[in-house]
Amino acid sequence: MSSPSYSSYLGRPAYCAMALVLLLTLLCITFPAYLRNPVSVASCFTGADVRAAAAQPAASASAALVADDGGRRPDQLSILVGVHTMPKKHSRRHLIRMAYAVQQTAALRGAARVDVRFALCARPMPAEHGAFVALERRAYGDVLLFNCTENAEDGKTYTYFADLPAMLGAAGGEGRPRPYDYVMKVDDDTYLRLDALVKTLRRAPREDMYYGVGLPFMDRKSPPFMLGMGDALSWDLVQWIATSDMVRRKAKGVEDVTTGNWLNEGGKAKNRVNIFPRMYDYKSAEAKDFLEDTIGVHQLKEDIRWAHTLAHFNATYGDLRPSREGSS
Ligand SMILES: *[C@@H]1O[C@H](CO)[C@@H](O)[C@H](O)[C@H]1NC(C)=O
Ligand SMILES: *[C@@H]1O[C@H](CO)[C@@H](O)[C@H](O)[C@H]1NC(C)=O
């Protein structure tokens, strides 16, 4: 993520007031389908009928672009992919939403349930961005709003992992069914090939597992940390992060190194799955600069890089001649 420059908002009290109203509205109105246990969210209401009325629009939204059939087979591998982005980047979110929606094929669903969600901090939330976020939550149900302030190194990754168990109704650990086997954090300038991701995770240990592109590159077997372009943890480690005092004290810092530090200091993540070099930085549009067994491409800062990458992986094939009657 690029560093936001929000200083201009800070001096404008009108925005603060609007943002607060909006935040409260956002926290209470929508009940996206992925919150299978709505209790934690519903606690911001006391009136059940308000709750029911508020839940209506989200429940009836078709959310066709979002793979969410409400549940999963007990034996099905499940992965939460959290795309870390900022409220103002609506256009990028929609590009990413579609780039993953077209990958939700029958074959992929047969192999795993992959829920792609956008992880946003609730602050700052100026009204013009809040409107998009609120509509997206209702229309697609794929936005997770965290109680944090957008700032790359101010602990957003900590908040993401630490707040998820409660957000998914799975706080409390032992005995609770895990909502996901793995939780991934991915940048909004990374494109993942979900089938390749799933293939590698199917073979990975389900417990005490840390997945990504390890650094330093020499340490292939047990890299001290995985690059933040896309790293994943098994659910038990997410729960550990949510409950560890040590981790909470060390929440801030360069996010990927920091995640590695928590695990190293806590004696966690005995299982490290290093996918180097299969997730890598974009170099050019030329075919030779994409690997055949690519899991992810990073540094897709500009839309044109997305265009090249999507074209290379055949996500955008089809002609662009003007539509005719009877064709779309
Ligand atoms: C959000 O976090 C702040 C501390 O960072 C806390 O004071 C506040 O109560 C939290 N809000 C909610 C809705 O959890
Ligand atoms: C894209 O499609 C072409 C033509 O069907 C095929 O030759 C090529 O291997 C595909 N590329 C990828 C990356 O799947």
Side-chain angles (χ1 to χ4, degrees), residues 161-181:
F161 286 122
D163 286 5
L164 267 177
M167 204 177 264
L168 298 172
E174 309 301 307
R176 293 278 196 157
R178 41 167 78 187
Y180 292 98
D181 295 304

Side-chain angles (χ1 to χ4, degrees), residues 184-202:
M184 187 157 194
K185 177 255 148 182
V186 65
D187 284 340
D188 65 2
D189 61 348
T190 299
Y191 171 68
L192 292 176
R193 294 174 79 209
L194 299 181
D195 54 354
L197 173 75
V198 165
K199 275 194 190 111
T200 49
L201 283 174
R202 282 177 77 85

Side-chain angles (χ1 to χ4, degrees), residues 28 31 42-55:
C28 295
F31 291 83
S43 61
C44 54
F45 286 106
T46 45
D49 42 2
V50 177
R51 193 155 63 229

Side-chain angles (χ1 to χ4, degrees), residues 5-21:
S5 66
Y6 285 114
S7 48
S8 58
Y9 296 125
L10 297 178
R12 296 156 84 165
Y15 273 130
C16 295
M18 280 194 292
L20 186 66
V21 169

Side-chain angles (χ1 to χ4, degrees), residues 43-193:
S43 61
C44 54
F45 286 106
T46 45
D49 42 2
V50 177
R51 193 155 63 229
Q56 206 73 45
S60 59
S62 70
L65 278 174
V66 178
D68 199 313
D69 51 10
R72 62 164 167 133
R73 302 189 302 274
D75 58 331
Q76 188 184 24
L77 182 73
S78 65
I79 305 160
L80 175 68
V81 174
V83 180
H84 284 220
T85 184
M86 292 181 282
K88 66 178 176 184
K89 297 169 90 171
H90 352 113
S91 150
R92 171 55 56 91
R93 273 200 300 285
H94 204 53
L95 173 63
I96 293 173
R97 182 176 284 130
M98 292 185 288
Y100 290 128
V102 298
Q103 296 187 54
Q104 294 282 354
T105 59
L108 182 81
R109 286 168 191 247
R113 175 188 173 114
V114 185
D115 291 347
V116 179
R117 302 288 180 257
F118 295 98
L120 307 178
C121 285
R123 296 181 302 273
M125 187 66 78
E128 71 272 34
H129 303 317
F132 278 88
V133 172
L135 284 174
E136 290 173 62
R137 293 187 100 189
R138 294 180 65 173
Y140 304 114
D142 61 358
V143 175
L144 297 174
L145 204 54
F146 290 88
N147 182 17
C148 54
T149 304
E150 288 294 351
N151 184 329
E153 278 154 29
D154 207 29
K156 177 171 177 178
T157 299
Y158 170 76
T159 306
Y160 170 65
F161 286 122
D163 286 5
L164 267 177
M167 204 177 264
L168 298 172
E174 309 301 307
R176 293 278 196 157
R178 41 167 78 187
Y180 292 98
D181 295 304
Y182 303 111
V183 174
M184 187 157 194
K185 177 255 148 182
V186 65
D187 284 340
D188 65 2
D189 61 348
T190 299
Y191 171 68
L192 292 176
R193 294 174 79 209

